[in-house]
Amino acid sequence: RDWLERQLARCTTPAPFVPGTTIRFTGEPLTVDWAATHRRRPERDGPVLRCGGPESHLQARVQRWLEQQAQGLVQHDLAFYCDRAGLPVPELRLARAQRRWGSCSARGTVRINWRLIQAPDFVRRSVVAHEVAHLVHFDHSPQFHRLLADLFGARLGEADHWLKREGRSLYAQFG
Protein backbone atom coordinates (compact mmCIF):
# COMPACT_ATOMS: atom_id res chain seq x y z
CA ARG A 1 0.00 0.00 0.00
CA ASP A 2 2.82 2.41 0.85
CA TRP A 3 4.50 1.72 -2.48
CA LEU A 4 1.24 2.32 -4.36
CA GLU A 5 0.67 5.61 -2.53
CA ARG A 6 4.20 6.75 -3.42
CA GLN A 7 3.62 5.89 -7.07
CA LEU A 8 0.31 7.75 -7.18
CA ALA A 9 1.92 10.76 -5.54
CA ARG A 10 4.47 10.87 -8.37
CA CYS A 11 1.74 11.08 -11.04
CA THR A 12 1.19 14.48 -12.56
CA THR A 13 -2.25 16.00 -12.44
CA PRO A 14 -3.08 17.93 -15.60
CA ALA A 15 -3.66 21.58 -14.87
CA PRO A 16 -6.32 23.44 -16.84
CA PHE A 17 -4.86 24.98 -19.98
CA VAL A 18 -5.90 28.61 -19.78
CA PRO A 19 -4.44 31.96 -20.84
CA GLY A 20 -1.46 32.68 -18.61
CA THR A 21 -0.50 29.02 -18.37
CA THR A 22 3.24 28.46 -18.25
CA ILE A 23 4.65 25.72 -20.45
CA ARG A 24 8.22 24.57 -20.91
CA PHE A 25 10.09 25.14 -24.15
CA THR A 26 13.62 23.73 -24.37
CA GLY A 27 13.65 23.59 -20.60
CA GLU A 28 12.70 27.23 -20.06
CA PRO A 29 9.34 28.60 -18.91
CA LEU A 30 7.16 30.15 -21.59
CA THR A 31 3.97 31.99 -20.61
CA VAL A 32 1.00 31.60 -22.96
CA ASP A 33 -0.47 35.04 -23.62
CA TRP A 34 -3.85 34.59 -25.27
CA ALA A 35 -6.00 37.42 -26.54
CA ALA A 36 -8.60 37.35 -29.26
CA THR A 37 -6.75 40.23 -30.94
CA HIS A 38 -3.44 38.33 -31.21
CA ARG A 39 -2.62 36.48 -34.42
CA ARG A 40 -3.96 32.92 -34.50
CA ARG A 41 -0.54 31.45 -35.17
CA PRO A 42 1.52 31.38 -31.97
CA GLU A 43 4.48 33.75 -31.95
CA ARG A 44 7.28 33.60 -29.42
CA ASP A 45 8.54 36.84 -27.96
CA GLY A 46 11.23 35.95 -25.41
CA PRO A 47 9.55 34.23 -22.46
CA VAL A 48 6.04 34.81 -23.89
CA LEU A 49 4.07 32.86 -26.49
CA ARG A 50 1.35 35.08 -27.97
CA CYS A 51 -1.61 33.33 -29.49
CA GLY A 52 -5.05 34.41 -30.70
CA GLY A 53 -8.03 32.72 -32.26
CA PRO A 54 -10.79 30.99 -30.33
CA GLU A 55 -9.78 30.37 -26.73
CA SER A 56 -11.40 26.92 -26.92
CA HIS A 57 -8.66 25.84 -29.38
CA LEU A 58 -5.76 27.37 -27.47
CA GLN A 59 -4.26 24.12 -26.15
CA ALA A 60 -4.41 22.39 -29.54
CA ARG A 61 -2.88 25.43 -31.26
CA VAL A 62 -0.01 25.61 -28.75
CA GLN A 63 0.59 21.86 -29.04
CA ARG A 64 0.82 22.12 -32.84
CA TRP A 65 3.30 24.98 -32.45
CA LEU A 66 5.42 22.89 -30.06
CA GLU A 67 5.33 19.95 -32.49
CA GLN A 68 6.47 22.20 -35.34
CA GLN A 69 9.32 23.53 -33.22
CA ALA A 70 10.23 19.96 -32.24
CA GLN A 71 10.32 18.87 -35.88
CA GLY A 72 12.84 21.58 -36.76
CA LEU A 73 15.09 21.17 -33.73
CA VAL A 74 15.10 17.36 -33.81
CA GLN A 75 15.81 17.37 -37.57
CA HIS A 76 18.81 19.61 -36.88
CA ASP A 77 19.96 17.36 -34.00
CA LEU A 78 19.58 14.26 -36.18
CA ALA A 79 21.66 15.77 -38.98
CA PHE A 80 24.33 16.80 -36.47
CA TYR A 81 24.70 13.35 -34.86
CA CYS A 82 24.49 11.52 -38.19
CA ASP A 83 27.31 13.71 -39.49
CA ARG A 84 29.37 12.87 -36.38
CA ALA A 85 28.71 9.16 -36.98
CA GLY A 86 29.40 9.40 -40.72
CA LEU A 87 25.86 8.33 -41.60
CA PRO A 88 23.26 9.64 -44.02
CA VAL A 89 20.33 11.36 -42.32
CA PRO A 90 17.41 8.93 -42.10
CA GLU A 91 13.69 9.66 -42.19
CA LEU A 92 12.47 11.39 -39.04
CA ARG A 93 9.02 11.11 -37.57
CA LEU A 94 7.72 12.67 -34.42
CA ALA A 95 6.06 10.21 -32.05
CA ARG A 96 3.31 10.51 -29.47
CA ALA A 97 4.35 7.43 -27.53
CA GLN A 98 3.38 7.20 -23.88
CA ARG A 99 6.39 5.20 -22.74
CA ARG A 100 9.25 5.84 -25.18
CA TRP A 101 11.32 8.88 -25.88
CA GLY A 102 12.73 7.55 -29.12
CA SER A 103 12.96 4.53 -31.36
CA CYS A 104 14.78 3.37 -34.44
CA SER A 105 13.23 0.89 -36.85
CA ALA A 106 15.09 -1.84 -38.71
CA ARG A 107 14.50 0.24 -41.86
CA GLY A 108 16.32 3.16 -40.26
CA THR A 109 13.40 5.45 -39.51
CA VAL A 110 14.02 7.43 -36.34
CA ARG A 111 11.09 8.41 -34.16
CA ILE A 112 11.44 10.97 -31.39
CA ASN A 113 8.74 11.92 -28.91
CA TRP A 114 7.64 15.49 -29.66
CA ARG A 115 7.25 16.20 -25.92
CA LEU A 116 11.05 16.38 -25.63
CA ILE A 117 10.76 19.95 -26.97
CA GLN A 118 9.79 20.81 -23.40
CA ALA A 119 12.98 19.32 -21.93
CA PRO A 120 16.34 21.08 -21.82
CA ASP A 121 18.24 20.89 -25.13
CA PHE A 122 20.88 18.47 -23.82
CA VAL A 123 18.15 15.99 -22.81
CA ARG A 124 16.49 16.04 -26.25
CA ARG A 125 19.86 15.74 -27.95
CA SER A 126 20.82 12.74 -25.80
CA VAL A 127 17.76 10.86 -27.05
CA VAL A 128 18.55 11.74 -30.67
CA ALA A 129 22.18 10.64 -30.22
CA HIS A 130 20.92 7.38 -28.67
CA GLU A 131 18.79 6.64 -31.73
CA VAL A 132 21.65 7.52 -34.10
CA ALA A 133 23.85 5.04 -32.23
CA HIS A 134 21.12 2.45 -32.89
CA LEU A 135 21.52 3.06 -36.62
CA VAL A 136 24.96 1.47 -36.22
CA HIS A 137 24.35 -0.98 -33.35
CA PHE A 138 20.79 -2.24 -33.13
CA ASP A 139 21.27 -3.32 -29.49
CA HIS A 140 22.61 -2.02 -26.20
CA SER A 141 25.97 -3.73 -26.46
CA PRO A 142 29.25 -2.27 -25.16
CA GLN A 143 29.96 -1.09 -28.74
CA PHE A 144 26.64 0.77 -28.77
CA HIS A 145 27.43 2.50 -25.47
CA ARG A 146 30.94 3.46 -26.65
CA LEU A 147 29.53 4.99 -29.82
CA LEU A 148 26.83 6.82 -27.87
CA ALA A 149 29.45 8.23 -25.49
CA ASP A 150 31.58 9.31 -28.47
CA LEU A 151 28.59 10.96 -30.15
CA PHE A 152 27.07 12.68 -27.15
CA GLY A 153 29.80 13.21 -24.61
CA ALA A 154 29.96 13.66 -20.88
CA ARG A 155 26.40 14.77 -20.00
CA LEU A 156 24.77 11.46 -20.91
CA GLY A 157 24.28 10.37 -17.30
CA GLU A 158 22.87 13.78 -16.41
CA ALA A 159 20.38 13.57 -19.32
CA ASP A 160 19.29 10.06 -18.35
CA HIS A 161 18.83 11.16 -14.75
CA TRP A 162 16.78 14.18 -15.85
CA LEU A 163 14.44 11.96 -17.89
CA LYS A 164 13.97 9.53 -15.00
CA ARG A 165 13.30 12.36 -12.55
CA GLU A 166 11.30 14.78 -14.74
CA GLY A 167 10.16 12.83 -17.79
CA ARG A 168 6.59 12.13 -16.68
CA SER A 169 6.06 15.86 -16.16
CA LEU A 170 6.34 16.36 -19.94
CA TYR A 171 2.91 14.73 -20.24
CA ALA A 172 1.18 17.01 -17.70
CA GLN A 173 -0.23 19.63 -20.06
CA PHE A 174 -0.45 17.74 -23.32
CA GLY A 175 -1.46 14.24 -22.14
Side-chain angles (χ1 to χ4, degrees), residues 108-148:
T109 300
V110 170
R111 286 182 174 77
I112 302 294
N113 194 316
W114 73 268
R115 289 173 185 86
L116 287 170
I117 193 67
Q118 299 171 89
D121 289 333
F122 79 97
V123 174
R124 182 191 69 249
R125 290 176 182 144
S126 76
V127 173
V128 175
H130 184 105
E131 299 312 325
V132 169
H134 276 313
L135 293 170
V136 177
H137 301 288
F138 210 66
D139 55 26
H140 287 112
S141 65
Q143 294 87 354
F144 165 84
H145 287 287
R146 272 195 297 282
L147 176 58
L148 177 56

Side-chain angles (χ1 to χ4, degrees), residues 63-76:
Q63 180 175 329
R64 279 192 304 275
W65 181 82
L66 286 169
E67 290 174 351
Q68 290 168 352
Q69 300 305 305
Q71 181 73 39
L73 287 174
V74 172
Q75 187 67 53
H76 180 268

Side-chain angles (χ1 to χ4, degrees), residues 2-150:
D2 292 339
W3 177 86
L4 188 55
E5 287 175 356
R6 283 193 310 273
Q7 299 310 308
L8 288 172
R10 290 176 53 197
C11 292
T12 55
T13 303
F17 199 94
V18 295
T21 293
T22 298
I23 62 172
R24 284 190 283 187
F25 178 71
T26 64
E28 299 296 323
L30 192 59
T31 302
V32 177
D33 174 22
W34 174 86
T37 57
H38 290 332
R39 297 175 71 171
R40 290 174 77 94
R41 171 173 259 198
E43 295 177 334
R44 183 175 177 209
D45 183 13
V48 175
L49 184 67
R50 288 190 175 72
C51 188
E55 186 178 353
S56 60
H57 296 101
L58 179 62
Q59 183 172 2
R61 197 170 298 112
V62 170
Q63 180 175 329
R64 279 192 304 275
W65 181 82
L66 286 169
E67 290 174 351
Q68 290 168 352
Q69 300 305 305
Q71 181 73 39
L73 287 174
V74 172
Q75 187 67 53
H76 180 268
D77 297 339
L78 186 60
F80 175 81
Y81 289 112
C82 284
D83 183 60
R84 288 192 71 165
L87 299 171
V89 179
E91 179 182 4
L92 169 66
R93 293 196 181 169
L94 293 183
R96 294 176 182 227
Q98 293 294 315
R99 302 217 184 273
R100 293 184 142 201
W101 298 115
S103 66
C104 176
S105 73
R107 292 185 182 170
T109 300
V110 170
R111 286 182 174 77
I112 302 294
N113 194 316
W114 73 268
R115 289 173 185 86
L116 287 170
I117 193 67
Q118 299 171 89
D121 289 333
F122 79 97
V123 174
R124 182 191 69 249
R125 290 176 182 144
S126 76
V127 173
V128 175
H130 184 105
E131 299 312 325
V132 169
H134 276 313
L135 293 170
V136 177
H137 301 288
F138 210 66
D139 55 26
H140 287 112
S141 65
Q143 294 87 354
F144 165 84
H145 287 287
R146 272 195 297 282
L147 176 58
L148 177 56
D150 288 346

